[in-house]
Amino acid sequence: MTDMTTGPVRRHLFTYALPLIAGNFLQLTYNAVDSILVGKGAGLDALSAVSVSNPVSALLVLFVSGLGIGGSVWISRFFGAGDKEKVKRSFSTMMISGTVLSFIVLFFGLLFSQQILTLMKVPDEIMDLSLVYLRLLFVGNLFTFQYNLLSQALRAIGDSKAPLKFITVSSLMNACLDAVFIFGFHLSVFGAALATVLSEAASAILCAIYIYRKVPVLSLHRKDWCFDRVLFNGISSSGILTALQQSCQPIGKLCIQSVINTQGIDVIAAFNAACRIDDYGRIPTQTNAAGIMTCVSQNLGAGKKDRVRDSLKQGLFLILIYCPFAAAAMFLFRRPLLTLFAPNDGGEEMIQIGVSYLAVKAFMIVFPAFTNSIQGFFRGLNHMTITLVSTILQISLRTLFVFLLVPKIGIIGEAWASAIGWAAMIVYEYGYYLLRVRKKLL
């Protein structure tokens, strides 16, 4: 646990972010390993099947992450105020409601998997493989839901180190099972999905055991389990708005993916691989936002407005140092990184398409860095409506320009569309901060 209401803000943000960066790198690696091993072991069709299913999985993960963020804001605030009873009641309420929701999502996901893929305009030649992969992902998301809620609760009390241990075990397990199932048993996309399900289950179980045994403020015994309707109203209000905000991105990406899917299998595979690499570059900006949110929420609970304001300032300082190095690395190493994802035979066209795309996208990393920071700040204040409206603005413009540009100039059009959406989001959010929020914190 870390109390962010005392001590240097910048140091808290930095030390909080480091385990999160490592954990998110591992979580992305966990997904990238599927793509790499499927591409190498099962071919381009199998790789494309995994690619088209990933936006659906991302939608589910971000939706439950949004619910967890909404709950963690309240847990952080009560923790900062020293109210341990309400910390437990908030955690219990969040876990009960999240578990019920996870089973609802599983039911409808299995029922409508084929319709989802049809709406995404998945090519007929990879439809069967995509369906197998997607249905197993829906099963795995039972455990993903639990892990995300548990890890968000830990981060709300300043513990970003423990989730790293569980995601490390999960990632190593996923890589080993991928190799066994794909190369040993030749299970193709079924093997990749099964490996993901088993590794996600391991991370959720380990996290639950750790909290029960090692974190008294969150450890729920029989008498602690309760569903507090008043807290649920607050948590659900914050959580639903954040879940909607988090879901806007993958919903937009589903629309974007449907445009990409019309460009052919090489483009589908190139776009998926390039997005994986771009995701790696953006991890520190996302974890910095999580640190800002926790620091803001704890200090708001403690009534320290000067530290609330300083959380955003110090967070922006950190990302301005990081962005030039990330952009340079993505640009300089884009070809060897893309080669990792390519199948052994017939992958040169895919690599060339991805290289051209990343040459443009690498230098746009500063845009989401700024938007993530201010979103973390608003979440900490529980101003979830602002994050929702700004995200809808961003993804709407991005999707619109993808439909206009990609058919004319290929997937490079998606990079320019992203820049347009992010720029609009920056103007809206920082304008709102300067005009409406900053004065209240002085």
Side-chain angles (χ1 to χ4, degrees), residues 33-34 37-38 41-42 177-188 191-192:
V33 163
D34 282 344
L37 294 181
V38 168
L177 291 176
D178 267 333
V180 171
F181 292 156
I182 295 172
F183 291 94
F185 296 135
H186 305 289
L187 295 178
S188 186

Side-chain angles (χ1 to χ4, degrees), residues 126-146:
I126 61 171
M127 176 61 81
D128 289 342
L129 289 173
S130 301
L131 192 57
V132 168
Y133 190 78
L134 182 59
R135 282 177 172 163
L136 267 177
L137 284 187
F138 274 116
V139 174
N141 271 297
L142 275 179
F143 304 108
T144 305
F145 270 48
Q146 299 304 312

Side-chain angles (χ1 to χ4, degrees), residues 224-404:
D224 300 313
W225 282 101
C226 67
F227 185 81
D228 189 311
R229 290 188 179 183
V230 175
L231 285 174
F232 174 73
N233 290 336
I235 291 171
S236 61
S237 177
S238 302
I240 290 171
L241 285 173
T242 309
L244 288 173
Q245 181 264 320
Q246 293 279 85
S247 301
C248 285
Q249 291 286 4
I251 289 172
K253 286 183 179 179
L254 287 173
C255 297
I256 291 167
Q257 186 72 54
S258 70
V259 179
I260 300 297
N261 290 347
T262 64
Q263 304 297 301
I265 289 177
D266 283 317
V267 174
I268 294 171
F271 182 68
N272 173 70
C275 286
R276 297 285 193 198
I277 296 164
D278 183 50
D279 286 343
Y280 275 102
R282 288 195 276 142
I283 282 174
T285 70
Q286 294 164 349
T287 56
N288 183 58
I292 292 171
M293 182 193 78
T294 301
C295 195
V296 167
S297 188
Q298 285 194 17
N299 282 288
L300 194 64
K304 298 183 177 181
K305 290 186 177 181
D306 57 327
R307 292 177 66 84
V308 170
R309 189 173 61 252
D310 201 35
S311 299
L312 177 61
K313 178 182 175 182
Q314 297 301 332
L316 290 173
F317 175 82
L318 291 174
I319 61 110
L320 284 172
I321 293 174
Y322 165 75
C323 283
F325 294 99
M330 287 172 60
F331 181 80
L332 293 173
F333 299 106
R334 64 194 189 282
R335 178 172 285 276
L337 289 171
L338 285 161
T339 302
L340 290 173
F341 292 87
N344 293 326
D345 297 316
E348 185 54 39
E349 180 67 19
M350 167 206 154
I351 293 171
Q352 191 55 47
I353 293 169
V355 164
S356 299
Y357 174 74
L358 279 181
V360 178
K361 198 68 176 285
F363 295 101
M364 296 178 180
I365 194 169
V366 68
F367 289 100
F370 273 95
T371 60
N372 283 332
S373 295
I374 192 71
Q375 292 236 320
F377 178 77
F378 282 132
R379 286 172 186 154
L381 293 175
N382 202 22
H383 288 191
M384 304 304 184
T385 303
I386 302 305
T387 66
L388 175 60
V389 172
S390 61
T391 302
I392 291 173
L393 173 66
Q394 181 266 134
I395 198 62
S396 298
L397 286 173
R398 180 181 174 186
T399 305
L400 172 63
F401 279 95
V402 163
F403 275 86
L404 294 174

